[in-house]
């Protein structure tokens, strides 16, 4: 019989777990924490704020107060050296204090699971400077920068959100492949599930698009790497060809924790006007989870035109869980997610191929097996499935010191 693991899940210092709206990493950390508890582990979630409107169930929640005057002073000083890591000294000290408190109250910590650069120093300090046997695991949600290699070398294991990220980490940072396991992002398949036909008509009224014959959706941050400008240019061509459609855009103007109209978002709005496609495009802002689910519900197509090497976009998993076809550029880890019966992968990142792919979906020229798609997501990317794989790997590291099932 396997021992019950005591696991500390470290959220980011940017948003609470779960976030009110958006925040893929924070959403994942909360979701996987719940699933791990349901799979038999004891989980301690460390987050910047415990939300009163969230039922955390059997998760032990520990809060990290970043509004303390000392935290603010530390940030002002150290952000002059490194803007991204301005919170690291204060975070490290406070997190180590939380780790010690957990051990005092509950017993030995078996695993500390870190998900973000700024929170990744504290587990190292706890393990090596305080002489603990705790297994420390780093979860890479994006391409790691070269300055993180010194940290990864000292972690017991590295989890990558796709084979693409695993290969990148191995080849660019020269991290031992045997130390890296792939743990894909997950989706709550009980929340993101197909809508009934009557629901679709009702929800179209919510978004004011009852008359739209075809709805395609872009969900994500309005930043250059997400490629919204490609989709806007493609929409112009589709409109010129006489297609009747509505493009609905949902997501923050820039970062989730700090929105701004300036820069790329303003460029996109100006592009919409200059292309003369305002009647075809509607910006919905950053939606709460219920409304985001409703948006998937009414969508005929979800488009992911990422022009960077996207590691493992949750939007694709959410769309497929609801039985919606996806058109996406074949960047980063996306080809690992999207099956042939779920939409179209575009090998060349340009608007000509994007237009062709969207046209093929509009005309019904692509075979989409929605039943198979929904089952595919449940079988491979539900939180329960991902949690069981994660726990299996953590048990291997705790018991054997290495990963057998990477």
């Amino acid at each position: 019989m396997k021992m019950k693991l005591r696991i500390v899940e470290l959220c980011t210092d940017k948003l609470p777990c779960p976030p009110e709206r958006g925040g893929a990493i924070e959403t994942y950390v909360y979701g996987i924490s719940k699933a791990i508890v349901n799979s038999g582990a004891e989980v301690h979630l460390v987050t910047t704020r415990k939300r009163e409107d969230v039922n955390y169930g059997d998760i032990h929640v520990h809060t990290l107060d970043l509004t303390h005057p000392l935290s603010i002073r530390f940030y002002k000083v150290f952000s002059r050296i490194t803007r991204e890591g301005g919170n690291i000294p204060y975070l490290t000290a406070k997190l180590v204090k939380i780790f010690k408190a957990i051990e005092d109250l509950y017993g030995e910590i078996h695993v500390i699971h870190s998900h973000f650069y700024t929170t990744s120093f504290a587990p190292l300090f706890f393990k090596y400077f305080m002489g603990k046997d705790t297994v420390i695991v780093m979860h890479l949600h994006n391409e790691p920068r070269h300055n993180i290699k010194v940290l990864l070398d000292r972690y017991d294991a590295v989890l990558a959100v796709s084979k693409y990220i695993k290969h990148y980490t191995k080849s660019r940072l020269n991290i031992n492949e045997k130390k890296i396991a792939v743990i894909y992002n997950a989706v709550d398949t009980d929340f993101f599930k197909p809508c009934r036909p009557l629901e679709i008509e009702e929800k179209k009224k919510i978004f004011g698009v009852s008359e739209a014959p075809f709805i395609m959706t872009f969900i994500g941050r309005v930043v250059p790497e997400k490629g919204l400008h490609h989709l806007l240019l493609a929409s112009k061509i589709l409109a010129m060809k006489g297609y009747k459609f509505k493009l609905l855009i949902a997501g923050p103007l820039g970062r989730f924790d700090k929105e701004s109209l300036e820069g790329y978002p303003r460029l996109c709005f100006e592009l919409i006007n200059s292309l003369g496609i305002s009647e075809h495009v509607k910006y919905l802002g950053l939606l709460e989870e219920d409304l985001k689910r409703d948006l998937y519900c009414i969508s005929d197509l979800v488009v992911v035109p990422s022009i960077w090497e996207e590691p493992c976009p949750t939007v694709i998993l959410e769309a497929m869980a609801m039985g919606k076809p996806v058109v996406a550029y074949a960047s980063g880890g996306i080809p690992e997610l999207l099956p042939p019966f779920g939409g179209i992968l575009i090998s060349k990142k340009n608007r000509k191929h994007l237009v062709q792919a969207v046209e093929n979906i509009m005309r019904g020229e692509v075979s989409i097996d929605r039943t198979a798609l929904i089952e595919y997501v449940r079988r491979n990317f539900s939180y329960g499935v991902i949690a069981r794989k994660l726990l299996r790997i953590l048990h291997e590291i705790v018991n054997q010191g290495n990963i057998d099932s990477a």
Side-chain angles (χ1 to χ4, degrees), residues 143 164 172 224-234 237 303-311 313 316 327-335 344-357:
E143 293 178 353
Y164 168 77
R172 299 291 184 90
E225 60 266 29
K226 294 292 187 179
L228 176 58
H229 56 291
H230 277 224
L231 183 53
L232 295 176
L233 292 168
I237 297 173
V303 185
V304 185
S306 296
I307 57 176
W308 71 311
E309 300 303 327
E310 186 95 55
I316 291 181
V327 162
Y329 285 150
S331 63
I334 290 177
I344 302 175
L345 277 173
I346 306 169
S347 58
K348 294 183 178 180
K349 302 172 187 177
N350 62 53
R351 64 178 181 268
K352 176 183 175 182
H353 293 89
L354 183 56
V355 169
Q356 290 174 347

Side-chain angles (χ1 to χ4, degrees), residues 320-337:
M320 294 192 303
M322 297 196 67
K324 302 298 180 176
V326 175
V327 162
Y329 285 150
S331 63
I334 290 177
E336 301 170 41
L337 308 179

Side-chain angles (χ1 to χ4, degrees), residues 120-310:
S120 63
F121 291 82
L124 288 167
F125 191 95
F126 186 70
K127 180 181 180 74
Y128 293 108
F129 287 90
M130 302 189 70
K132 301 294 183 178
D133 291 328
T134 303
V135 166
I136 55 176
V137 179
M138 172 69 85
H139 205 122
L140 298 178
H141 293 266
N142 292 295
E143 293 178 353
R145 298 179 182 178
H146 284 277
N147 63 356
I148 204 175
K149 173 177 168 54
V150 67
L151 302 180
L152 297 182
D153 282 337
R154 288 161 176 77
Y155 265 74
D156 295 303
V158 177
L159 304 179
V161 294
S162 60
K163 293 175 183 176
Y164 168 77
I165 292 296
K166 178 177 180 175
H167 176 74
Y168 183 97
T169 306
K170 172 193 169 187
S171 59
R172 299 291 184 90
L173 274 65
N174 197 29
I175 302 297
N176 187 340
E177 183 179 20
K178 294 181 179 179
K179 189 177 180 177
I180 311 171
V182 174
I183 294 289
Y184 288 106
N185 283 338
V187 61
D188 184 348
T189 52
D190 291 325
F191 183 79
F192 292 102
K193 56 186 178 182
C195 300
R196 299 185 304 275
L198 284 178
E199 283 185 274
I200 295 174
E201 295 307 315
E202 292 171 2
K203 295 181 190 305
K204 277 186 175 183
K205 295 176 184 177
I206 296 174
F207 294 102
V209 291
S210 296
E211 304 304 317
F214 188 90
I215 296 173
M216 59 179 174
T217 300
F218 172 95
I219 298 178
R221 291 175 293 129
V222 182
V223 292
E225 60 266 29
K226 294 292 187 179
L228 176 58
H229 56 291
H230 277 224
L231 183 53
L232 295 176
L233 292 168
S235 296
K236 172 64 175 178
I237 297 173
L238 291 167
M240 290 176 62
K241 289 187 172 187
Y243 287 101
K244 304 297 181 183
F245 66 92
K246 201 76 171 181
L247 168 60
L248 301 182
I249 302 167
L253 301 177
R255 289 159 42 188
F256 283 108
D257 61 330
K258 191 176 182 181
E259 289 193 70
S260 174
L261 178 61
E262 298 309 311
Y264 182 76
R266 184 178 293 280
L267 174 67
C268 286
F269 286 117
E270 291 175 352
L271 186 60
I272 291 168
N273 291 327
S274 64
L275 292 174
I277 56 173
S278 298
E279 65 178 285
H280 292 282
V281 181
K282 187 172 186 178
Y283 174 64
L284 303 173
L286 177 55
L287 303 179
E288 294 181 356
E289 287 296 285
D290 286 347
L291 279 176
K292 185 172 72 167
R293 180 182 56 187
D294 291 345
L295 179 56
Y296 283 122
C297 182
I298 68 170
S299 300
D300 296 297
L301 172 66
V302 176
V303 185
V304 185
S306 296
I307 57 176
W308 71 311
E309 300 303 327
E310 186 95 55

Side-chain angles (χ1 to χ4, degrees), residues 1-167:
M1 184 177 179
K2 290 182 178 179
M3 65 183 291
K4 183 173 183 176
L5 292 181
R6 181 170 294 112
I7 303 169
V8 174
E9 289 286 343
L10 292 184
C11 198
T12 76
D13 60 327
K14 303 301 180 184
L15 297 169
C17 282
E20 281 90 353
R21 299 178 297 167
I25 297 177
E26 294 85 0
T27 299
Y28 174 82
V29 176
Y30 171 69
I32 204 68
S33 295
K34 287 199 304 179
I36 292 172
V37 166
N38 291 338
S39 295
E42 178 184 315
V43 174
H44 295 260
L45 173 63
V46 182
T47 178
T48 56
R49 178 164 57 85
K50 182 176 182 180
R51 289 177 51 188
E52 297 302 322
D53 59 328
V54 172
N55 179 10
Y56 289 88
D58 292 328
I59 300 173
H60 301 276
V61 182
H62 308 266
T63 56
L64 186 65
D65 183 12
L66 296 181
T67 63
H68 191 281
L70 186 60
S71 169
I72 296 170
R73 285 200 296 271
F74 261 91
Y75 181 77
K76 285 181 178 179
V77 172
F78 284 93
S79 60
R80 295 174 184 173
I81 304 170
T82 166
R83 182 179 64 84
E84 184 185 57
N87 269 337
I88 288 174
Y90 180 83
L91 277 172
T92 301
K94 297 301 288 185
L95 285 172
V96 169
K97 187 176 181 181
I98 289 173
F99 299 158
K100 290 169 64 179
I102 292 172
E103 281 207 330
D104 290 343
L105 286 171
Y106 299 93
E108 178 188 3
I109 296 173
H110 301 116
V111 179
I112 299 177
H113 187 186
S114 180
H115 295 264
F116 204 62
Y117 171 71
T118 52
T119 60
S120 63
F121 291 82
L124 288 167
F125 191 95
F126 186 70
K127 180 181 180 74
Y128 293 108
F129 287 90
M130 302 189 70
K132 301 294 183 178
D133 291 328
T134 303
V135 166
I136 55 176
V137 179
M138 172 69 85
H139 205 122
L140 298 178
H141 293 266
N142 292 295
E143 293 178 353
R145 298 179 182 178
H146 284 277
N147 63 356
I148 204 175
K149 173 177 168 54
V150 67
L151 302 180
L152 297 182
D153 282 337
R154 288 161 176 77
Y155 265 74
D156 295 303
V158 177
L159 304 179
V161 294
S162 60
K163 293 175 183 176
Y164 168 77
I165 292 296
K166 178 177 180 175
H167 176 74

